[in-house]
Amino acid sequence: MSVAQPLAGPSVEKTEYVRANDGVDRHDRAVAVARAVSERAESERADNERTNPADDELIGKSLAGDHDAFELLVRRHSSRIFNIIGSFFRRRDIIEDIAQEVFTKSFFSLSCYTVGRSFEAWLARIAVNACYDQLRAQRRRAEQPFPQQAEREDEWLELQMVQAARSRHASEQRRLEAFDISERLLNRLAPEDRVVLVLMDRDGFSVKEISDMTGWGQSKVKVRAFRARRVLRAAMKRLTASAERKQRSAR
């Protein structure tokens, strides 16, 4: 009677060879996948650069006479510029005039722009300076108001404060009236103080960012902000007290 022999398994040498080859295959596949991903990313980056060129590239083309390149720059940054100007002025015609002035100045000053820096920040600085110039011009026109005009202005503000005290409902009308009050109070600030206060408290820019946009030192920015807040607090305190007196006398 013959005894069945066990089936012969793979030799140790063959098993090690298969394992080694399997490791090589996995490594090669991983390298191939990584190469494909890298090539795809590079292709997408190149496509993006062709369809959405960087600001510096567009500036170079603009300086070479490509007006379409500058038009793309305007479209890319117009929203930011309109937002900055809209923080200082409400009239649409004034906002549009200043925006046109900003982009005109930037076009003729492109050769002064330092390649590699933030074009958006450079453009924002031109916008802030244009707003500052407009505020100074308005201030000069209103430097010598007639006493009757100043008195009527105070009376209007006091009336709005009284009406706001009588109606505590947060309606759209009340919101607009509150905005009118804040705008008229801001108009009483010096242009430098108003620029700093609006950029800091309304738009949320830091002291350093405001310093970069205005070209003023950080110490000056801090002093302007402190002075503007102090003036507004004093004006609000005076108007509130006057409005409360009128409200009590009307009862």
Side-chain angles (χ1 to χ4, degrees), residues 106-156:
S106 65
F107 177 77
F108 288 108
S109 303
L110 278 180
S111 59
C112 300
Y113 167 73
T114 302
V115 175
R117 303 188 68 179
S118 171
F119 178 71
E120 184 179 48
W122 183 77
L123 201 59
R125 180 170 183 172
I126 295 177
V128 169
N129 286 332
C131 291
Y132 173 56
D133 290 341
Q134 177 68 19
L135 290 173
R136 286 199 304 174
Q138 292 180 350
R139 181 81 170 190
R140 284 195 297 269
R141 289 194 295 268
E143 272 182 352
Q144 301 296 332
F146 293 106
Q148 298 88 343
Q149 291 178 331
E151 186 176 346
R152 285 197 297 269
E153 177 78 4
D154 286 341
E155 289 176 352
W156 183 90

Side-chain angles (χ1 to χ4, degrees), residues 159-169 174 243-244 247:
L159 176 62
Q160 297 304 311
M161 297 290 288
V162 170
Q163 291 177 347
R166 290 174 179 171
S167 175
R168 299 298 182 184
H169 300 292
R174 291 261 69 83
E244 289 175 349
Q247 188 177 13

